[in-house]
Amino acid sequence: MTVNLRNLGLFGIVALLIVATGVIQSWNVALTILNYGLISAVMALGVNMQWGYAGLFNVGIMGFAALGGLAVVLVSMPPVGEAWSAGGLRVVLALFWGLIVLAGSILLYQRMAPGRMRTLALIVVLLAGFFSYRALFDPAVAAIEAVNPAGTGYLGGLGLPVLLAWPIGGALAGAAAWVVGKAALGLRSDYLAIATLGIAEIVIAVMKNEDWLSRGVKNVVSIPRPVPYEIDLQNDPDFVARMTSWGYDPVVASSIVVKLAYAGLFAAVLLALLWLLEMALRSPWGRMMRAIRDNETAAEAMGKDVKKRHLQIFVMGSAICGVAGAMLVTMESQLIPSSYQPLRFTFLIWVMVIVGGSGNNWGAILGGFLIWFLWIQVEPMGQQLMALITAGMEDGSALKEHLIESAAHMRLLTMGIVLLLVLRFSPRGLIPEK
Amino acid sequence: MDFLNALVAFLNFVVVPATAYGSQLALGALGVTLIYGILRFSNFAHGDTMAFGTMATILFTWAFQSIGISLGPLPTALLALPFGILVTGALLVGTDRLVYKFYRQQKAVPVIFVIASLGVMFVTNALVRFIIGPDDQRFADGERFIISAREFRNLTGLDEGLALRTTQGLTVVTAVIVVALLFWFLNRTRTGKSMRAFSDNEDLALLSGINPERVVMVTWLIVAALATVAGTLYGLDKSFKPFTYFQLLLPIFAAAIVGGLGSPLGAIAGGFVIAFSEVTITYAFKKVLEYLLPEALEPDGLVQLLSTDYKFAVSFAILIIVLLFKPTGLFKGKSV
């Protein structure tokens, strides 16, 4: 690998931006940007794998990230014993029954000859299945949600170490992607896009409404952490003594140490993934993927199973997004289903991949950091700009107030313009594919 | 009597709202379908185009209201609508010149257009928020009801009332007029026929001397009209909030795909399929059943198939089921 000075320079600029934030604003803000940047970079890697390697257009990133977040709750929260005894097994049974009904109707559809009888039988099985499922499911859910609704009202998780949730989150997202891919791959790219958008909305709807699973809009808070708590550090005489001897305020230092610990964990994941992906790209497998992307018909003629490869890469890319989603919830140590918005979790990631350079992993990472930095900092910059523009205006004038209020929308405008400009004038991104 | 009461409750809570919502979706989906048929991409900016058109109409409405022009019992917004359409048309033709034309000349693959439309979506969204702000805006005036629940009860002597809001009636009437005009245009006029020819077979249409840039421009203008009308009707019926319009993208896409992308008839059918399934699946049928069933059998629960928050999920579940069985939608849409 030759070291490319230009690319190094681009990464240097982003590093400088973050350091400047640390110097001008505070190191806490800078490290927060860094941590979210690391998570965004992982997500961008996943999307880049699907779009850059294989040309698959996935607009359901939000759903896969949310599934990763859900995995954190399911893995690391302590189980709620009372809720389990109230209706835990019944819910599991009901879900199992639902699966049996679905499997039965698929079997029916495959076995019976096409025609009116088949449609009729299918409708009867599905309707009967739905109502019997609800008859099993509803009372169990009511029983679980009745257990201390203010504090729990859900089944809780397995009480396992939180780091275990990262691979499990990936697996969960990957499994969902397999289902989506089976249904929607092989359709035209637009259809895949809209199908993934839809699945993401369904995932979020389930997480917002199924209180027994995720507490819904009541949110799950204080998820266990893989790193020490600030308050424990502040109460640790060794830590306080050391920080004071180095000349730092122990309270500030404790939060910085925690953030640095997260940054270390995230960086480890990012680097490991980057290494794996670069290896994959260089292998015969990577060459095959690009061959399929560039000319599907030719690749098919050469005997490559295009549909299978597409499914494979779709599952892998989505699993990476799931891991990133799990990392995010771990860092925030709370799951807020209503915070999943497509603008932030899907379209922003797309801007990262396009701007950074699709097809190039380094580009995706650069895009992740740079766009996240802009996403956070454009708002204060916009406010300063508006303050400058309106400086000459009379205080209290309607236009001045309107302009200052509007500064918040600079964010979307900037993202849109950046995306359009890059797509137009540098469609291969800042660090193009080799 | 009980049967009539049940019927009225069903009409009032399911049929009337779903018909109005279905008309709004159908108009939105027609716009998406036209762009797909002629420009050959899924326009993610359509929800925000609707928001922009509605915003323009609202601004004209306020201007008319402030100088005292009104339509009496009808909302002033109807008068403002043509002006809103003009502004939106200018915006869409402008974006086409600035953004999409380049990719057309490059003969870029459709998915590049889709990504460009994401960028346009961001910018339009920001423009709307810049100009009118992110909050709820109400701009409906005139008579609120064609017939109110109380009037209906007094008139018929039933227990259940049937309310028909002016905006709901207006939505359906306007939608019918707009759709009739659109089909007349597509089937009878020269430009409309050349648009259909272009949509069916681009190369053949070019050979027969159709000017593609003209077809594209007319398409954008029609889309502007459809989006503004759909958005304004939705805003009159419910309320105007930019974020809600962004979210409308989802059921609109679902409607267009369920009907079959590229097929105008399909878009209308899809709009009603999605609207009726959303409303019936999330409506609590307790009231209707209480009238119909003998007391002993009366349900304890709400008899709601899914909670109301699953509305979007319903439209997409239908979309995916349709894609599984009929990959190009009910009316055999395009899949290039």
Side-chain angles (χ1 to χ4, degrees):
Chain A
M1 197 170 63
T2 51
V3 178
N4 185 326
L5 278 180
R6 183 174 164 273
N7 295 351
L8 265 182
L10 286 170
F11 273 100
I13 290 173
V14 173
L16 212 66
L17 285 174
I18 293 176
V19 171
T21 309
V23 175
I24 296 170
Q25 287 174 290
S26 80
W27 288 104
N28 244 326
V29 176
L31 283 175
T32 311
I33 292 180
L34 174 73
N35 280 344
Y36 277 100
L38 283 164
I39 294 173
S40 303
V42 173
M43 275 195 206
L45 274 183
V47 175
N48 181 46
M49 194 174 181
Q50 294 172 341
W51 170 243
Y53 289 19
L56 296 175
F57 191 53
N58 169 13
V59 217
I61 307 158
M62 171 180 75
F64 299 117
L67 281 174
L70 181 64
V72 177
V73 169
L74 296 185
V75 168
S76 71
M77 287 306 278
V80 182
E82 237 182 300
W84 269 102
S85 52
L89 288 177
R90 280 190 289 158
V91 159
V92 175
L93 195 75
L95 290 176
F96 195 61
W97 173 241
L99 275 183
I100 290 178
V101 169
L102 280 184
S105 49
I106 291 172
L107 213 66
L108 186 92
Y109 185 79
Q110 286 170 345
R111 289 286 166 82
M112 279 178 79
R116 190 169 293 165
M117 276 315 289
R118 181 172 81 170
T119 319
L120 220 63
L122 198 65
I123 290 173
V124 168
V125 168
L126 282 175
L127 275 183
F130 181 76
F131 284 106
S132 57
Y133 161 75
R134 286 292 296 265
L136 284 170
F137 186 68
D138 287 356
V141 166
I144 292 170
E145 287 173 6
V147 177
N148 183 17
T152 52
Y154 77 129
L155 286 176
L158 300 171
L160 296 169
V162 66
L163 284 183
L164 208 60
W166 296 6
I168 291 179
L172 201 59
W178 187 82
V179 177
V180 181
K182 272 282 177 195
L185 283 173
L187 295 170
R188 220 192 93 161
S189 49
D190 299 36
Y191 282 91
L192 175 67
I194 291 157
T196 48
L197 190 68
I199 304 274
E201 288 294 332
I202 293 177
V203 169
I204 303 300
V206 169
M207 279 174 58
K208 276 190 200 165
N209 287 289
E210 301 302 320
D211 287 15
W212 61 274
L213 180 70
S214 59
R215 292 202 79 210
V217 286
K218 286 182 274 180
N219 307 338
V220 180
V221 293
S222 33
I223 293 170
R225 280 176 165 191
V227 296
Y229 285 84
E230 286 90 346
I231 195 79
D232 292 340
L233 288 178
Q234 286 161 29
N235 289 336
D236 177 3
D238 279 353
F239 178 80
V240 174
R242 187 173 302 163
M243 287 302 146
T244 333
S245 74
W246 287 351
Y248 296 119
D249 175 14
V251 177
V252 178
S254 68
S255 82
I256 286 180
V257 165
V258 168
K259 289 199 169 69
L260 280 175
Y262 272 122
L265 282 173
F266 296 157
V269 173
L270 181 66
L271 290 174
L273 277 173
L274 178 66
W275 184 75
L276 284 172
L277 288 177
E278 283 288 294
M279 294 290 283
L281 195 61
R282 265 163 241 278
S283 68
W285 180 86
R287 283 197 294 277
M288 172 180 66
M289 278 319 199
R290 275 174 295 168
I292 291 177
R293 179 195 64 189
D294 293 338
N295 193 338
E296 238 171 72
T297 327
E300 207 148 24
M302 304 279 284
K304 306 294 176 203
D305 189 344
V306 173
K307 215 175 161 186
K308 201 169 161 189
R309 296 297 138 216
H310 274 173
L311 186 63
Q312 190 182 34
I313 207 155
F314 188 66
V315 168
M316 290 197 287
S318 302
I320 294 178
C321 293
V323 173
M327 285 162 40
L328 184 74
V329 169
T330 310
M331 180 173 73
E332 292 178 337
S333 99
Q334 49 189 354
L335 178 71
I336 309 173
S338 52
S339 72
Y340 289 99
Q341 299 291 349
L343 276 178
R344 153 78 178 83
F345 279 94
T346 296
F347 299 130
L348 190 66
I349 312 297
W350 266 96
V351 179
M352 293 171 182
V353 174
I354 299 284
V355 169
S358 48
N360 190 317
N361 293 318
W362 294 96
I365 293 177
L366 179 77
F369 282 109
L370 182 65
I371 295 299
W372 182 261
F373 178 83
L374 287 177
W375 181 252
I376 294 302
Q377 297 290 26
V378 157
E379 209 176 311
M381 284 182 205
Q383 257 148 12
Q384 279 166 8
L385 182 74
M386 285 301 173
L388 199 72
I389 292 175
T390 54
M393 290 185 198
E394 210 178 313
D395 273 333
S397 83
L399 182 66
K400 179 169 183 171
E401 270 173 29
H402 183 78
L403 281 175
I404 289 175
E405 265 175 37
S406 304
H409 314 310
M410 289 285 279
R411 221 184 212 187
L412 291 176
L413 191 69
T414 319
M415 292 303 144
I417 291 175
V418 166
L419 177 68
L420 284 175
L421 287 179
V422 170
L423 195 63
R424 168 75 183 260
F425 296 106
S426 171
R428 284 147 54 85
L430 291 174
I431 304 183
E433 189 182 350
K434 279 191 236 44
Chain B
M1 214 51 165
D2 274 352
F3 175 74
L4 278 182
N5 273 322
L7 186 70
V8 170
F10 186 68
L11 284 174
N12 191 32
F13 292 107
V14 176
V15 177
V16 170
T19 310
Y21 182 44
S23 316
Q24 292 145 10
L25 283 188
L27 289 176
L30 271 174
V32 166
T33 264
L34 277 183
I35 297 180
Y36 191 90
I38 290 165
L39 289 105
R40 299 192 162 77
F41 73 96
S42 310
N43 182 12
F44 272 69
H46 198 73
D48 287 299
T49 308
M50 278 169 62
F52 185 90
T54 315
M55 177 198 72
T57 310
I58 290 176
L59 294 180
F60 280 108
T61 308
W62 286 345
F64 288 154
Q65 282 167 346
S66 68
I67 51 173
I69 301 177
S70 84
L71 276 179
L74 293 176
T76 319
L78 281 188
L79 210 60
L81 205 50
F83 300 95
I85 292 176
L86 280 181
V87 176
T88 316
L91 173 89
L92 289 188
V93 172
T95 7
D96 185 72
R97 287 280 149 79
L98 265 175
V99 180
Y100 301 118
K101 193 177 177 183
F102 172 78
Y103 299 107
R104 230 176 7 255
Q105 283 164 350
Q106 300 265 306
K107 300 218 175 298
V109 288
V111 74
I112 297 293
F113 282 86
V114 179
I115 297 175
S117 83
L118 287 182
V120 174
M121 177 190 85
F122 271 115
V123 174
T124 319
N125 194 314
L127 271 181
V128 172
R129 287 168 194 227
F130 258 128
I131 298 174
I132 205 164
D135 304 320
D136 245 326
Q137 310 286 348
R138 297 200 149 268
F139 62 106
D141 53 3
E143 207 67 56
R144 246 174 81 73
F145 288 103
I146 296 175
I147 185 163
S148 75
R150 181 197 298 258
E151 282 170 326
F152 184 87
R153 272 200 296 265
N154 291 342
L155 217 63
T156 57
L158 290 172
D159 292 337
E160 275 301 313
L162 176 71
L164 194 60
R165 286 204 306 260
T166 317
T167 53
Q168 290 168 330
L170 204 64
T171 299
V172 178
V173 173
T174 319
V176 169
I177 295 173
V178 169
V179 169
L181 273 176
L182 178 72
F183 278 81
W184 170 81
F185 178 81
L186 287 180
N187 291 324
R188 295 264 180 268
T189 64
R190 209 181 144 71
T191 320
K193 283 180 189 164
S194 58
M195 277 170 66
R196 277 175 39 219
F198 193 79
S199 161
D200 286 342
N201 188 334
E202 194 179 340
D203 295 329
L204 209 61
L206 290 178
L207 264 181
S208 54
I210 288 171
N211 176 1
E213 286 304 308
R214 195 179 127 81
V215 166
V216 167
M217 199 182 83
V218 174
T219 308
W220 281 117
L221 289 176
I222 295 175
V223 167
L226 288 169
T228 310
V229 172
T232 305
L233 291 175
Y234 185 87
L236 282 172
D237 196 19
K238 283 145 186 145
S239 76
F240 173 79
K241 192 177 184 188
F243 184 66
T244 321
Y245 279 67
F246 164 69
Q247 284 193 317
L248 266 182
L249 191 64
L250 310 174
I252 283 178
F253 265 135
I257 292 181
V258 165
L261 273 172
S263 150
L265 261 183
I268 297 169
F272 285 102
V273 168
I274 295 294
F276 270 87
S277 12
E278 269 189 23
V279 177
T280 38
I281 290 182
T282 57
Y283 174 66
F285 280 96
K286 183 178 167 70
K287 203 169 193 176
V288 175
L289 290 178
E290 271 176 0
Y291 283 119
L292 287 180
L293 298 173
E295 218 162 296
L297 283 177
E298 264 175 30
D300 306 319
L302 289 170
V303 204
Q304 196 178 13
L305 291 177
L306 285 173
S307 103
T308 335
D309 298 295
Y310 276 113
K311 253 175 40 191
F312 283 141
V314 170
S315 32
F316 271 101
I318 295 168
L319 167 76
I320 287 157
I321 293 167
V322 169
L323 281 183
L324 280 178
F325 291 102
K326 283 197 172 229
T328 55
L330 299 172
F331 280 70
K332 290 222 171 15
K334 278 194 198 0
S335 133
V336 191

